[in-house]
């Protein structure tokens, strides 16, 4: 397994991605994502889970209604690695992707 990414590389990522922050008291990065509703949050988690499984790199996360809190670290490397940065970038890309228009139901 790769060693934890150099601090300078992490700081560079965090400087460019302001909503990602160092997790307090841990060698990890953290971000909270907000969505329109539970379905959108769950869709985000599903897409992220498929990518994480493909990478064999799994996030720590917590979901309540439209919020998903994500913490990324590489446990066997003892900190943040390129895998964490790659997964963070993927999550950002799908969270900001345009959503298809929802059909309104007839009442």
């Amino acid at each position: 397994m790769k060693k934890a990414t150099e601090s300078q590389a992490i700081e560079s990522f965090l400087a460019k991605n302001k909503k990602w922050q160092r997790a307090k008291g841990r060698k990890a990065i953290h971000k909270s994502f907000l969505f329109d509703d539970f379905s959108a949050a769950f869709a985000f988690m599903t897409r992220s889970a498929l990518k994480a499984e493909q990478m064999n790199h799994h996030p720590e996360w917590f979901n309540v209604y439209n919020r998903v809190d994500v913490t990324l670290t590489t446990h066997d490397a003892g900190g943040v690695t390129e895998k964490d940065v790659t997964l963070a970038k993927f999550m950002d890309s799908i969270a900001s992707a345009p959503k298809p228009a929802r059909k309104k139901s007839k009442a």
Side-chain angles (χ1 to χ4, degrees), residues 34-98:
L34 290 175
F35 299 92
D36 291 338
D37 54 25
F38 176 75
S39 292
F42 197 83
F44 166 80
M45 291 179 73
T46 301
R47 290 189 66 194
S48 297
L50 292 171
K51 179 67 171 177
E53 189 66 17
Q54 178 188 43
M55 294 174 64
N56 192 29
H57 188 63
H58 306 93
E60 297 173 22
W61 52 18
F62 179 77
N63 166 245
V64 175
Y65 185 59
N66 69 332
R67 189 182 83 229
V68 180
D69 297 327
V70 178
T71 301
L72 298 175
T73 189
T74 305
H75 298 284
D76 52 354
V80 179
T81 67
E82 189 59 37
K83 280 187 165 186
D84 301 300
V85 172
T86 298
L87 189 53
K89 288 178 180 178
F90 175 80
M91 289 176 162
D92 282 343
S93 74
I94 63 171
S96 63

Side-chain angles (χ1 to χ4, degrees), residues 5-36:
T5 303
E6 293 298 318
S7 181
Q8 185 177 10
I10 296 167
E11 294 306 323
S12 175
F13 170 77
L14 294 174
K16 294 176 187 172
N17 301 277
K18 299 286 186 194
K19 293 191 178 183
W20 283 98
Q21 301 176 354
R22 288 189 174 276
K24 292 183 182 182
R26 299 191 54 198
K27 293 180 180 178
I29 56 176
H30 173 83
K31 181 176 179 179
S32 291
F33 292 88
L34 290 175
F35 299 92
D36 291 338

